[in-house]
Amino acid sequence: MKFLTEKDDFPPVDSANSIGLLAFGGDLSPERLMQAYTHGIFPWYDSSQPILWWSPDPRMVLFPERLKISKSMKQLLKKGAFEVSFNRNFEKVIQNCAAMPREGQQGTWITREMQEAYVKLHELGWAESVEVWQEGQLMGGIYGIYLREKKVFCGESMFTKVSNASKYGFIKMVENLKQRGVRLIDCQIYTEHLASLGAEEIPREEFLKYLH
């Protein structure tokens, strides 16, 4: 596992260890982050650790045309249970993602440093958010990196304050990205929640073809 100075490039992703850890160190500059995402790498660490860079194999992805929508969600969508917006309040979305308690995790990996870095990416037009509203209150949201030239969206995190809000927003996001020609949504690692929505694991080598 390579230690990165601020001047070092990432090592080849096939040098990652068995759990996908590739390197540590470096920085969270826009240039570094975009170099990472365009090479199938993402940061994930907590405040007690150095910056850790990952490229797992297999990779959890969603092909937009394979999105699964349950009967109950179809009913909510038909009723217009929530209002959904795009890029209306990126900063609030990432703050809520950071504050969301998660099973098996103490604290958050979305540190203040991470929040500032991704807000900067949003200002530069590389990071996007989805907001889910109910009666004027922000009840759910998602943020990630949109690689326009690759037609790939890299999902980073989501939050919900009421049942189904994040799932509702995710479905609307996938439909929006599909209309924009996105071929693949990177979900990074397996979760049952994502699998229920149609996401699947594919070999890292296959995933990288969409980036190259």
Side-chain angles (χ1 to χ4, degrees):
M1 183 172 56
K2 182 176 180 179
F3 169 72
L4 301 174
T5 70
E6 292 187 3
K7 296 181 179 180
D8 288 330
D9 288 332
F10 289 105
V13 294
D14 58 11
S15 65
N17 67 16
S18 60
I19 60 172
L21 185 55
L22 177 69
F24 66 100
D27 60 86
L28 295 177
S29 66
E31 295 76 16
R32 167 76 71 183
L33 285 167
M34 294 310 295
Q35 182 192 35
Y37 283 102
T38 55
H39 288 83
I41 303 163
F42 59 89
W44 186 27
Y45 65 103
D46 65 39
S47 59
S48 68
Q49 300 170 316
I51 302 172
L52 303 177
W53 301 95
W54 302 79
S55 185
D57 186 16
R59 191 76 165 225
M60 191 73 165
V61 304
L62 174 69
F63 297 98
E65 65 275 11
R66 298 182 190 174
L67 174 67
K68 292 180 181 177
I69 306 176
S70 67
K71 289 182 180 179
S72 61
M73 285 305 302
K74 286 179 180 178
Q75 291 175 350
L76 289 176
L77 290 161
K78 188 176 181 180
K79 289 193 302 183
F82 299 95
E83 177 194 352
V84 175
S85 62
F86 298 90
N87 298 308
R88 186 187 296 179
N89 201 327
F90 183 93
E91 196 163 350
K92 277 290 185 186
V93 169
I94 195 169
Q95 287 172 359
N96 276 277
C97 286
M100 182 82 178
R102 301 179 193 276
E103 187 176 349
Q105 292 185 22
Q106 295 181 348
T108 180
W109 60 271
I110 308 173
T111 62
R112 173 57 59 184
E113 180 186 31
M114 289 278 275
Q115 291 179 50
E116 291 174 355
Y118 283 80
V119 167
K120 182 64 175 178
L121 287 183
H122 175 65
E123 292 170 349
L124 292 169
W126 294 331
E128 299 191 355
S129 63
V130 181
E131 301 87 20
V132 184
W133 308 85
Q134 192 172 59
E135 298 179 354
Q137 299 297 312
L138 184 61
M139 293 300 185
I142 306 160
Y143 76 93
I145 306 299
Y146 181 29
L147 304 177
R148 285 177 177 79
E149 294 182 1
K150 313 291 184 181
K151 295 298 181 183
V152 170
F153 184 84
C154 304
E156 271 299 309
S157 187
M158 63 176 73
F159 81 95
T160 188
K161 293 184 177 180
V162 295
S163 180
N164 293 315
S166 64
K167 190 177 289 188
Y168 194 102
F170 184 85
I171 291 167
K172 287 292 189 178
M173 180 192 76
V174 174
E175 291 174 347
N176 176 271
L177 292 172
K178 187 177 179 180
Q179 291 174 0
R180 292 155 73 184
V182 166
R183 302 177 298 157
L184 184 76
I185 297 168
D186 175 25
C187 302
Q188 298 179 348
I189 58 175
Y190 178 90
T191 69
E192 290 184 5
H193 177 68
L194 291 167
S196 72
L197 289 162
E200 60 193 273
E201 291 184 315
I202 64 172
R204 179 174 57 208
E205 185 177 355
E206 182 181 343
F207 167 70
L208 291 175
K209 290 177 182 178
Y210 287 87
L211 300 178
H212 298 159

